[in-house]
Amino acid sequence: MRLVSRPNGATWGAWAAIRPRVALYPMLGGLLVVALLLNVGMGAVQIAPDQVVAILLDRLGIHAGIDFTVQQENVLWSIRLPRVALAMIVGAGLAMSGAALQGIFRNPLADPGLIGVSSGAAVGAIALIILGTAPLGWASQPLAAFAGALAITLGVYVLSRNGGRTEVVTLVLTGVAMNAIAGSAIGLMNFVATDAQLRNIVFWTMGGLGGATWDVVLPVGLFSCLGMVGLWRHARALNLLVLGEREAYHLGVSTERVRLRVIAFATLVAGCAVAASGIVGFVGLVVPHLLRLIAGPDHRTLLPASALGGATLVLGADLVARTVVMPAELPLGIVTALAGGPYFLWLLRRTRAAQGGWA
């Protein structure tokens, strides 16, 4: 009689712990592909998946024998694909920068919007619109947004530290104050703007991807990829910083240098996203939390997973924005706020209950 060995309890426990991580990337990749296909196919002009493939192959000189119209080809190549690409870049950048900022500040409430990155980037980008100049060409607006985001974020970071550590409540309240200051600066610029500039600013601050073109996607994608690679290279240091600054320092991490680098890379990525799409809130807060519940706090997994999840979320939100009130279009920031606001309220209650109150 043949005996078959059975895994012991420890083996089953270890497998149960890593199983969500093993399935995470295929799951996120599948959701991203589905969202991508829905976005390129749905809209005022319907394009079937086989027609999408045929149009792309036709651009490469390969004829697949599937009929499509010139209108479908122009809509796909000139409107849908740049918009889908920009949505993926914006979503991935906001979610990844949110995950990194939560790690560097060691609290669950940090994201590009709450601590002033988005409003600071808006100040820089709107200032460039008001001035009507582009001294560095296509790189001017992303760099202006980056400068504004970096200034506000560093101000929040410096003012919220007390005794060598950053408290959750202090961080959030400081972010609220800095957002108010940035909001007053935006209001002042709105006051002095011309009617044409004001209209552009209003629609831009509500968030949207309607202005997506390849001329916008390429520079924003370049800066965002550089920033995301920089964040991913600091994943191990972020894991050590979660243990505490003193512990990380004794393990060989230059805490202040790492912190400043991560803040710089996160603000570069978020600043580019805001410069291209306007203010799109809650992506950097919701996505890292949901994925942390599934895959755990390891930033080597969390950062790339957040990029995939953020890209999927913004693709889904943009699909809703484009189709729910056709032929009109909802601002993307309204859709993400409707989804992220209730989640943030739940997170506040959960965090307060876990800490036994804020006092």
Side-chain angles (χ1 to χ4, degrees), residues 118-146:
S118 297
S119 59
V123 170
I126 292 175
L128 208 65
I129 294 175
I130 296 297
L131 293 175
T133 182
L136 299 177
W138 53 265
S140 299
Q141 195 168 16
L143 289 176
F146 167 66

Side-chain angles (χ1 to χ4, degrees), residues 109-123:
L109 300 179
D111 88 318
L114 289 176
I115 63 171
V117 176
S118 297
S119 59
V123 170

Side-chain angles (χ1 to χ4, degrees), residues 25-280:
Y25 290 117
M27 178 187 69
L28 291 175
L31 290 175
L32 181 61
V33 170
V34 171
L36 192 152
L37 291 176
L38 290 175
N39 270 268
V40 297
M42 294 181 64
V45 177
Q46 296 289 331
I47 307 175
D50 58 340
Q51 291 177 317
V52 172
V53 175
I55 293 171
L56 296 178
L57 290 177
D58 187 70
R59 286 277 175 168
L60 299 175
I62 302 173
H63 301 287
I66 299 174
D67 294 332
F68 57 85
T69 66
V70 175
Q71 182 189 32
Q72 288 175 321
E73 181 181 10
N74 291 334
V75 167
L76 177 66
W77 188 257
S78 301
I79 299 176
R80 299 269 174 87
L81 286 180
R83 185 164 183 147
V84 164
L86 187 60
M88 294 172 62
I89 293 169
V90 169
L94 290 175
M96 196 170 184
S97 60
L101 290 172
Q102 289 170 12
I104 205 70
F105 288 121
R106 290 186 294 156
N107 72 78
L109 300 179
D111 88 318
L114 289 176
I115 63 171
V117 176
S118 297
S119 59
V123 170
I126 292 175
L128 208 65
I129 294 175
I130 296 297
L131 293 175
T133 182
L136 299 177
W138 53 265
S140 299
Q141 195 168 16
L143 289 176
F146 167 66
L150 183 61
I152 296 293
T153 307
L154 287 177
V156 171
Y157 170 70
V158 171
L159 294 174
S160 62
R161 285 181 65 81
N162 181 29
R165 65 190 185 95
T166 305
E167 298 176 349
V168 175
V169 178
T170 305
L171 178 72
V172 172
L173 294 178
T174 305
V176 169
M178 295 299 284
N179 276 322
I181 295 173
S184 65
I186 293 173
L188 179 61
M189 288 186 286
N190 288 339
F191 178 75
V192 301
T194 64
D195 290 341
Q197 290 174 335
L198 185 60
R199 182 176 178 83
N200 291 333
I201 292 171
V202 168
F203 281 101
W204 182 84
T205 53
M206 289 191 293
L209 302 172
T213 64
W214 291 117
D215 291 336
V216 174
V217 170
L218 294 178
V220 171
L222 174 63
F223 280 109
S224 296
C225 287
L226 290 175
M228 287 188 282
V229 170
L231 291 176
W232 184 78
R233 288 175 61 89
H234 288 82
R236 179 181 175 275
L238 286 171
N239 286 342
L240 296 177
L241 280 171
V242 171
L243 301 174
E245 293 189 14
R246 183 176 301 176
E247 290 79 1
Y249 179 79
H250 287 300
L251 290 173
V253 177
S254 178
T255 55
E256 287 300 321
R257 184 178 301 175
V258 168
R259 185 179 295 108
L260 290 175
R261 287 178 179 176
V262 170
I263 290 174
F265 284 127
T267 51
L268 173 61
V269 174
C272 288
V274 173
S277 65
I279 299 177
V280 180

Side-chain angles (χ1 to χ4, degrees), residues 11-27 293-296 301:
T11 303
W12 280 117
W15 169 244
I18 67 172
R19 182 170 55 186
R21 303 183 189 183
V22 173
L24 181 63
Y25 290 117
M27 178 187 69
L293 293 175
I294 298 173
T301 301

